[in-house]
Amino acid sequence: MTTMMIAATYMKRALSLAGRGAGFASPNPLVGAVVVKDGKIVGEGWHEVFGGPHAEVNAIAQAGAQADGADLYVNLEPCSHQGKTPPCTGLIIRSGIKKVIIGMQDPNPLVNGKGTAFLKHNGIEVYTGLLESECKKRNEVFTKFITTGKPFVTFKYAMTLDGKIATVDNASRWITGEESRKIVHKLRHDMSSVMVGVDTVIYDDPMLNVRLAGKKWKQPLKVIADSSLRIPLDARALSVDPQLCLIASTVKADKNKVMEIRRMGAQVLICPGKDGRVDLPFLFTTLGAMEIDGVLLEGGSTLAFSALKDGLVDKVIAFVAPKILGGSRAPAPVGGEGIAAMEDAIYLRDLKIRKVGADLMIEAYIK
């Protein structure tokens, strides 16, 4: 194995460790760190929870005295500023680490090159850009949030091979198989919030939470766009963990119902109206101000089109089931008024397709 291949193996390990913080570290980045000495891993760590020790701290603590003279692999540039925890660069220098290999520069303006410069100034060898594209993908949510103040938005949907998300009678359980549904629940865990329109709540009555066995899972904030506050008071999204439910409405909302929902423990956010609906740019900006760094947009079709038209969607994940429903009245993933000219279509890039059980999972980014 070449030196570069060996180095890439350690960075892949750091990326794998970083993923363990998904859902828990938000709105901080996902970071993993590996301490290597004499060709052997002597310390590992990741940023486990927001406000807790950073990956480098955990990895160096595990390495102990063996950190002296070792190499440190980390997928994101170590911080050099005082946040909720002390800067990692100081600890790296004190530990005796001789070389730091970094996957990507930190997009946070408070760091952005400063951590690297500080390490170099103190005599540490620093190399950057190892597996950079993979490192950028790992922290795509953080990068969007820290540079714009707005959440990274993933539009997720499941449909049949003929493009239907429900039958002509609006029955939608279950289009995809169990394997696909498990991935969706993991996506909910990873993202800070999950969002739907009120029609989805009325027709499907989803709980919008994570229901996976095993380890402890983080529950997302449930955001429901409901301009006229039509949500039933016995809706499962509202009655299960109401403190994690935020309903975005407008001045059209009945004030008594607003008070009733708030008494249940849920939040009601009165937004400006736009074309008779909730102003989505205002809503997403507000979510960003609340430190909601990621939104999993799960429908319905009118909300999806509005978000796409307003340029709010960053990524699309589609699950396609090997089924055909037919029916001109059966709903499709994206509705609304639609786009008239083909040249105005919303294009996708960097498509990736993989098989999940009997389904196909398509992942792409808005061009």
Side-chain angles (χ1 to χ4, degrees), residues 196-218:
V196 298
V198 69
D199 284 338
T200 296
V201 174
I202 291 171
Y203 286 122
D204 296 342
D205 196 19
M207 284 191 281
L208 302 176
N209 59 1
V210 179
R211 300 184 300 281
L212 290 172
K215 68 175 188 178
K216 179 182 177 182
W217 300 93
K218 188 267 306 174

Side-chain angles (χ1 to χ4, degrees), residues 105-264:
Q105 196 172 62
D106 193 331
N108 185 346
L110 293 174
V111 182
N112 201 251
K114 298 182 180 71
T116 299
F118 186 76
L119 291 172
K120 288 181 176 179
H121 179 74
N122 283 272
I124 294 179
E125 291 181 61
V126 180
Y127 299 89
T128 60
L130 180 61
L131 301 185
E132 186 174 27
S133 60
E134 291 93 328
C135 292
K136 286 183 175 180
K137 181 174 173 59
R138 174 62 79 191
N139 271 304
E140 60 189 8
V141 172
F142 173 74
T143 297
K144 165 80 179 290
F145 176 70
I146 203 66
T147 57
T148 68
K150 297 177 182 178
F152 184 94
V153 181
T154 300
F155 171 37
K156 185 281 303 178
Y157 61 90
M159 70 177 188
T160 59
L161 197 57
D162 59 335
K164 307 298 183 182
I165 60 172
T167 69
V168 291
D169 292 327
N170 280 303
S172 61
R173 293 180 185 168
W174 295 104
I175 286 179
T176 54
E178 184 177 353
E179 294 91 339
S180 296
R181 297 198 296 274
K182 285 181 179 178
I183 291 176
V184 172
H185 281 274
K186 178 61 166 58
L187 285 170
R188 289 178 179 176
H189 162 83
D190 291 351
M191 301 293 268
S192 296
S193 67
V194 56
M195 182 177 179
V196 298
V198 69
D199 284 338
T200 296
V201 174
I202 291 171
Y203 286 122
D204 296 342
D205 196 19
M207 284 191 281
L208 302 176
N209 59 1
V210 179
R211 300 184 300 281
L212 290 172
K215 68 175 188 178
K216 179 182 177 182
W217 300 93
K218 188 267 306 174
Q219 295 296 339
L221 177 70
K222 299 172 283 187
V223 182
I224 300 167
D226 183 1
S227 60
S228 299
L229 210 59
R230 294 185 292 123
I231 185 171
L233 293 178
D234 61 352
R236 294 196 297 174
L238 186 56
S239 57
V240 176
D241 294 327
Q243 76 280 3
L244 290 177
C245 187
L246 184 150
I247 302 172
S249 194
T250 68
V251 292
K252 294 189 292 183
D254 179 84
K255 291 181 176 58
N256 291 327
K257 192 170 183 180
V258 169
M259 289 190 293
E260 180 63 27
I261 290 172
R262 286 173 174 165
R263 276 196 292 267
M264 294 173 68

Side-chain angles (χ1 to χ4, degrees), residues 21 60 73 85 110 123 164 169 183 236 298 315 328 343:
I60 290 172
Y73 290 79
T85 59
L110 293 174
K164 307 298 183 182
D169 292 327
I183 291 176
R236 294 196 297 174
E298 294 200 22
K315 185 175 182 177
S328 58
E343 58 267 25

Side-chain angles (χ1 to χ4, degrees), residues 260-333:
E260 180 63 27
I261 290 172
R262 286 173 174 165
R263 276 196 292 267
M264 294 173 68
Q267 306 173 64
V268 179
L269 175 67
I270 301 300
C271 304
K274 183 179 179 182
D275 300 326
R277 301 185 179 94
V278 170
D279 185 322
L280 292 182
F282 174 88
L283 173 57
F284 282 100
T285 298
T286 303
L287 290 174
M290 295 168 60
E291 295 197 324
I292 299 297
D293 61 351
V295 176
L296 184 63
L297 181 62
E298 294 200 22
S301 62
T302 302
L303 176 64
F305 180 76
S306 296
L308 287 163
K309 183 181 68 173
D310 287 337
L312 301 170
V313 178
D314 299 287
K315 185 175 182 177
V316 176
I317 296 178
F319 295 90
V320 183
K323 301 175 183 177
I324 293 176
L325 286 174
S328 58
R329 291 186 296 106

